[in-house]
Amino acid sequence: MLDKDSKIYIAGHRGMVGSAIHRRLKKEGFNNFVFRTSTELDLRNQADVASFYEAEKPEYVFLAAAKVGGIQANNTYRGEFLYDNLMIQNNVIHQSYLHNVKKLMFLSSSCIYPKLAPQPLKEDSLLTGLLEPTNEPYAVAKIAGVKMCEAYRNQYGSNFISVMPTNLYGPNDNYDLQTSHVLPALLRKFHEAKMNNNEKVVIWGTGKPLREFLHVDDLADACFFLMNNYDEQDFINVGSGDEISILDLALLVKEIVDYQGVIEHDLTKPDGTPRKIMDSSKLEKLGWKPRITLMEGVKQVYKEAFVSKQTTLKG
Ligand code: GFB
């Protein structure tokens, strides 16, 4: 079990996942955190990360720092997604080993599974087929991170585990329409269309792909549970079972926002993987289940990001 006084480093504490893990731990009474913003510490820089570990000597590490984005960002910034993620995770995992971190959790992603792997995606489908081309560089980096945790456990006995979240949403998401994931993009598009009395909202692709969505607070709860209860080499899926087509998701957001116009498709934009739902039975058998339904979660996020605050959004 994590001790309340343990020194915990959350890499990426200002991102959607890192900030949710921070909220979850604070709620539990943890208060010995170490943080660095990306301006204070460039995690891609080996020497700087080494100095940081030497100075701070964290006992537990949540590795939630990563270059992330939606389908278009992944496909456009292919070099950066590969380089930045490999550098960040290599430096953090290696320094965690050198400084005897008691336990590290690496946050991976469901896109590491082969594009056409049997659904729901089971953990043993990893490396059984070709990846989805739009996010291959990101997936290759994340696979390397999972394998690095496994290899360090095998060779050095490091207690490093990896979790595989499905598509996430929640507070501190990215609402830039060029680089965001689908859910924040739809919330913004429908909200702005309503405010501006626009007749239509354009969504990317055919609307047919199926995706599973998990609220980031549920993910953070699963991370806390696994940090306390899971010490195995094999990585573990974290999903919600809430699967929906992109068109139905658009209709759900339309209803929540109460927008009266029509939906159009931009077929010049990619669909990506046709279906991506996790088999999370391994985690369920350990005794963890998500709590926030998609409807509740999206309503909550919409309220926080658009109704309560008058958010000024870029992009
Ligand atoms: O969320 P998303 O960008 O990523 O897109 P992926 C999911 C689906 O929603 C795709 C469609 O079929 C998009 O074409 N979509 C419709 C839109 N309208 C929009 C829109 O306005 N914006 C966006 N972004 N999509 C990512 C991977 O894949 O999932 C990452 O590229 C990562 O590597 C992440 O793993 C979780 O689910 O397709």
Side-chain angles (χ1 to χ4, degrees), residues 71 74 109 111 135 138 167 180 182 189 204 211 270-271 276:
I71 192 165
N74 268 266
S109 165
C111 70
N135 61 30
Y138 179 71
N167 284 37
S180 72
V182 62
K189 284 180 178 178
W204 295 355
R211 293 289 183 275
D271 268 352
K276 199 163 47 162

Side-chain angles (χ1 to χ4, degrees), residues 17 20 22 30 37 43 76 88 97 127 145 168 172 176 195 197 212 219 229-230 251:
V17 172
H22 184 211
F30 289 83
T37 63
L43 289 172
T76 309
I88 292 169
Y97 148 65
L127 293 173
L168 301 168
N172 300 324
D176 181 319
M195 294 296 128
N197 291 316
E212 177 191 28
L219 172 72
N229 297 295
Y230 188 76
L251 292 169

